[in-house]
Amino acid sequence: MAALGWLTPRRRSATARSVLAGEAAAEAARKSSLQLEQEREEAAATEAEAAEPEFPVVGDVRAAAFFDLDNTVMQGAAIFHFGRGLYKRKFFQRRELARFAWQQAWFRLAGVEDPEHMQDARDSALSIVKGHRVSELMSIGEEIYDEYMADRIWPGTRGLAQAHLDAGQKVWLVTAAPVETATIIARRLGLTGALGTVAESIDGVYTGKLVGEPLHGPAKAEAVRALAAAEGLDLSRCAAYSDSHNDIPMLSLVGHPYAINPDTKLRKHAKDRDWRLRDYRTGRKAAKVGIPAAAGLGALAGGTAAAVALHRRRH
């Protein structure tokens, strides 16, 4: 048997066994420590997530939401759609329709507001409605909404507005479009109301002039500030939504600014300031540079076709 002793494992010394036990305990301790640390981090994250108030905050009556209209709530510009409806009702001639068609195509392709185009559209609209009764245009505006605007509402943006309404908050449109048109759209969408450009009227008849200036850029911020003061709102708890860098003054007023279908400048500004961003347009190009791809191409084709057709008819 002695000859086979080398085949039988020798028992380790007490010192070796102690070292082995110590090393195993240390390894187990390290693993359990890491596991406990991970569990604590997960618990802290869950606690922080639970502590963060949902947005919009249900029942916060000092909070409200302000939505730009053109290309934020609705594809394209409301004033251009309104112009199409007025042309259909023979308020103006074909050459004006060609201008409206081209401006609308450009606006939807570029995805940004061009001050010169917008001013031209407003001047045209004012000259067209001059001498007409406000009540007449309101009635026609209801029809125009059904014909040209109802199918151009962005479902995603409408969902955001509905979330505020469901939370018990007021929701306002803020737009350079005529206040009458904006009010019709707000009512149809179930919103609280609208801030818009006010056209002068005397005894219920349009004079062809504006009260002040178009509600655009800084004027929107002033309108929101004035309404918030009148309504007792806390702007730091309010939200604002827009697609245009022209509305940065309005977006900067509130505690919860959102860039919706943003143009290039607003997208950069929003990313630099960590603002929330939503893009409901389709197409890789739209996501990259802020162009409403499919809709824009359709608008270009439609607008160009309309302009060409009118040109041929005139000549």
Side-chain angles (χ1 to χ4, degrees), residues 70-71 76-77 79-80 99 102-123 176 214 216-217 243-247 263 265:
D70 297 343
N71 221 35
I79 195 170
F80 298 145
R99 180 189 300 177
W102 170 246
Q103 289 170 335
Q104 170 67 354
W106 188 95
F107 178 78
R108 292 183 66 183
L109 253 187
V112 296
E113 299 172 358
D114 178 83
E116 184 177 346
H117 282 186
M118 299 300 285
Q119 183 63 51
D120 188 28
R122 282 189 289 270
D123 291 343
H216 187 264
D243 72 296
S244 173
H245 69 279
N246 293 313
D247 288 339
D263 61 33
K265 291 183 180 179

Side-chain angles (χ1 to χ4, degrees), residues 61-278:
V61 296
R62 296 200 64 199
F66 302 93
F67 283 79
D68 168 57
L69 175 58
D70 297 343
N71 221 35
T72 301
V73 171
M74 181 176 65
Q75 299 176 42
I79 195 170
F80 298 145
H81 297 312
F82 189 64
R84 292 175 63 194
L86 292 182
Y87 170 76
K88 179 180 178 181
R89 290 159 178 81
K90 304 186 184 304
F91 271 68
F92 54 91
Q93 303 301 314
R94 289 175 178 171
R95 64 178 178 274
E96 293 290 338
L97 177 61
R99 180 189 300 177
F100 271 101
W102 170 246
Q103 289 170 335
Q104 170 67 354
W106 188 95
F107 178 78
R108 292 183 66 183
L109 253 187
V112 296
E113 299 172 358
D114 178 83
E116 184 177 346
H117 282 186
M118 299 300 285
Q119 183 63 51
D120 188 28
R122 282 189 289 270
D123 291 343
S124 297
L126 286 170
S127 65
I128 289 167
V129 303
K130 181 179 180 180
H132 289 273
R133 299 197 66 81
V134 176
S135 58
E136 176 191 9
L137 270 296
M138 286 293 288
S139 178
I140 291 174
E142 296 280 358
E143 299 172 1
I144 292 175
Y145 176 84
D146 291 327
E147 294 169 0
Y148 298 110
M149 301 180 187
D151 293 337
R152 289 178 169 80
I153 303 300
W154 292 108
T157 312
R158 186 170 188 175
L160 292 173
Q162 189 61 48
H164 286 279
L165 293 171
D166 291 343
Q169 298 177 6
K170 293 183 177 180
V171 178
W172 304 83
L173 290 181
V174 189
T175 174
V179 67
E180 293 85 0
T181 301
T183 299
I184 291 170
I185 297 171
R187 184 173 67 253
R188 291 299 195 91
L189 296 179
L191 310 184
T192 306
L195 297 164
T197 298
V198 178
E200 182 185 74
S201 63
I202 298 178
D203 297 328
V205 178
Y206 288 113
T207 65
K209 300 177 182 179
L210 292 181
V211 177
E213 63 179 11
L215 198 68
H216 187 264
K220 283 189 178 182
E222 294 303 321
V224 168
R225 186 181 284 110
L227 183 62
E231 294 277 322
L233 301 174
D234 181 350
L235 286 172
S236 68
R237 289 144 72 172
C238 292
Y241 302 78
S242 179
D243 72 296
S244 173
H245 69 279
N246 293 313
D247 288 339
I248 288 175
M250 177 181 75
L251 294 169
S252 300
L253 275 182
V254 301
H256 302 277
Y258 282 76
I260 305 294
N261 305 328
D263 61 33
T264 303
K265 291 183 180 179
L266 178 57
R267 181 180 292 272
K268 182 179 185 304
H269 189 90
K271 286 185 176 180
D272 290 344
R273 285 155 184 77
D274 200 27
W275 288 358
R276 297 177 183 179
L277 188 150
R278 300 286 186 276

Side-chain angles (χ1 to χ4, degrees), residues 27-38:
E27 180 65 17
R30 189 183 68 83
K31 289 182 178 179
S32 62
S33 175
L34 290 175
Q35 184 176 354
L36 288 173
E37 182 179 356
Q38 183 177 357

